[in-house]
Amino acid sequence: MYSQSGFTSATALSAAANYIMNSPEPFTHTYRTYVRLRENGGLTLKFWHSNAVDSTWDLGAESAASEPGGEWSIEAAYVADGGAVPDGTVVSGSQVPVTFGGEASRNVAPGEQFWSDEALLELPEGHYLAFTWTLKTAAAGKSIPFNVEGMLVSGYDAPGNLAAQETAEAFSESDKLQVLPSFLGYKKDVTKKLVFLGDSITQGVRTAKDEYSYWAARIAEGLGTKYGLWNIGSGWGRAYDVATDGAWLHKAQQGDEVLMVLGVNDLDIGNRSAEELLNDLTHIISAIKEVRPKTAVILSTVPPFNFEGEREAAWRTVNAAILNSPPAGVDRVFDIAAVLSVPAPADHRIKPEYMSDEFDPHPNGTAGKAVAEAFLAWYGKNV
């Protein structure tokens, strides 16, 4: 879809799904999200959606990779000028309906993938895109996949069908509730379409809301808009989630070039061995190349995450293999660990100044800047 269309990702924000709504009764709810686009002005927008969970949350009790969403419907959807401040309102008169096959509403089947029609929007420089849609579930139980991590962008939600409303009345600020189409695209000819596949570190979790300070966003800015960049980083995601050959892998197969930064959660909560992780990475690379043989695969080392004991040993084994004898099909290797790690022999630890806080080894915005600068310098020499 991404690879075959004349549309490229309009934002560096990830809309990957790692959770699924599970309600004791049917509901109708409206979600409004403010997104900084890579370009503003006169835009032809188009959206693609995958009604499935991409990656496993925690140990999979609530949501698991490739789990299909339930039956639900889009009652109404709009794009609008969200203004310069993401405060729950939209600029009066700027709402443009998003339609599906010419219809304002659409029923969505479990696991279904589909496109919207094109929508034309004039978005002034410095203003956010506001995407608003009202979703209605068909029954109690599991329904709509979404992203449950701490919000990286401002979002608001409200009960009922309020998609057409321009004010913030009845809306509350969303918390751990990013509900967006899987792909927010705009019509754009680009030199190359990149896909960034990873976990929360690629998604940008723990960096400041609305600042786009994580490294994927900074790389997008550094590359410029002649390059498309689709960030499909998903919090708590792991390589074996992609290797289930489901929705997340399908997204990864869309790039002219794919950067893979996976492994932290495999070694941590997934408790995978080095061999198991390397086998999963090999499987993913093979599956990407099978669909698109000319896709270039950049495999990153596993970022440092302050592992100890057996996990540290596995981390070292995996990174040594990636650097010295990477899996078949890898075109290039980017050493993100070298950017983030303290000097050896404690190089399994992330530099303290790069931690989100004194206890959390998720890279912060300062780390995002360092990784982006290192990647852009490396990438420019290796294009």
Side-chain angles (χ1 to χ4, degrees):
M1 31 75 58
Y2 174 53
S3 58
Q4 302 301 319
S5 73
F7 287 77
T8 192
S9 179
T11 179
L13 175 71
S14 173
N18 58 9
Y19 213 70
I20 191 167
M21 297 182 191
N22 192 352
S23 174
E25 56 189 27
F27 63 87
T28 301
H29 209 85
T30 301
Y31 307 90
R32 175 169 288 165
T33 310
Y34 292 80
V35 182
R36 182 192 298 173
L37 301 189
R38 298 193 65 203
E39 290 192 76
N40 286 26
L43 302 168
T44 301
L45 301 166
K46 197 172 184 180
F47 308 97
W48 175 86
H49 193 57
S50 168
N51 184 26
V53 177
D54 290 309
S55 65
T56 302
W57 179 260
D58 199 0
L59 291 173
E62 297 297 329
S63 59
S66 302
E67 178 180 358
E71 292 185 26
W72 48 277
S73 61
I74 302 168
E75 298 294 286
Y78 294 89
V79 288
D81 178 354
V85 179
D87 59 3
T89 69
V90 299
V91 173
S92 181
S94 70
Q95 293 248 72
V96 175
V98 175
T99 58
F100 305 86
E103 301 294 329
S105 61
R106 192 188 195 285
N107 294 325
V108 181
E112 186 179 7
Q113 299 176 348
F114 60 93
W115 280 99
S116 75
D117 300 326
E118 295 181 5
L120 306 179
L121 180 69
E122 186 70 36
L123 189 63
E125 290 296 327
H127 285 208
Y128 290 94
L129 171 78
F131 182 88
T132 311
W133 57 353
T134 295
L135 307 181
K136 180 180 180 180
T137 60
K142 291 187 174 183
S143 56
I144 302 162
F146 70 103
N147 196 281
V148 76
E149 291 285 2
M151 300 287 284
L152 286 171
V153 295
S154 293
Y156 297 80
D157 64 278
N161 188 340
L162 302 182
Q165 181 179 295
E166 295 180 337
T167 71
E169 184 179 355
F171 280 89
S172 300
E173 190 166 4
S174 303
D175 181 34
K176 297 182 179 179
L177 186 65
Q178 181 183 287
V179 187
L180 280 172
S182 303
F183 172 78
L184 287 72
Y186 74 124
K187 187 173 283 187
K188 174 76 175 180
D189 289 328
V190 292
T191 303
K192 189 182 294 184
K193 292 182 176 181
L194 282 67
V195 173
F196 281 12
L197 169 65
D199 51 36
S200 56
I201 295 172
T202 301
Q203 183 181 344
V205 168
R206 308 285 188 272
T207 59
K209 183 189 288 187
D210 296 319
E211 287 194 5
Y212 295 79
S213 60
Y214 44 94
W215 54 261
R218 292 182 184 272
I219 289 171
E221 186 176 0
L223 288 173
T225 56
K226 66 180 180 179
Y227 289 91
L229 193 150
W230 189 19
N231 181 1
I232 57 171
S234 187
W236 235 331
R238 46 214 91 166
Y240 65 77
D241 289 337
V242 192
T244 57
D245 297 347
W248 206 16
L249 174 63
H250 174 70
K251 294 177 180 180
Q253 290 168 327
Q254 303 304 315
D256 300 319
E257 195 160 56
V258 179
L259 170 65
M260 295 171 49
V261 190
L262 290 163
V264 165
N265 296 306
D266 296 81
L267 299 176
D268 191 12
I269 193 167
N271 201 29
R272 305 287 269 186
S273 68
E275 183 181 13
E276 287 172 323
L277 173 53
L278 288 166
N279 285 341
D280 287 332
L281 293 173
T282 302
H283 175 88
I284 296 164
I285 294 159
S286 175
I288 290 171
K289 295 279 190 173
E290 184 177 353
V291 170
R292 299 189 74 210
K294 293 183 179 179
T295 293
V297 174
I298 301 171
L299 181 61
S300 170
T301 50
V302 181
F305 213 68
N306 297 354
F307 291 139
E308 303 288 349
E310 291 182 357
R311 286 183 171 86
E312 178 194 341
W315 177 86
R316 291 187 181 279
T317 298
V318 171
N319 278 354
I322 290 173
L323 289 170
N324 299 311
S325 54
V330 170
D331 293 274
R332 291 181 281 160
V333 170
F334 175 64
D335 192 0
I336 195 172
V339 182
L340 295 173
S341 294
V342 302
D347 48 332
H348 60 293
R349 303 191 65 82
I350 184 172
K351 294 177 182 176
E353 64 268 28
Y354 288 166
M355 291 174 61
S356 295
D357 62 40
E358 60 179 313
F359 304 108
D360 187 349
H362 279 90
N364 58 23
T366 303
K369 183 174 185 291
V371 170
E373 288 177 350
F375 180 88
L376 290 166
W378 171 87
Y379 189 78
K381 294 176 183 176
N382 290 273
V383 172

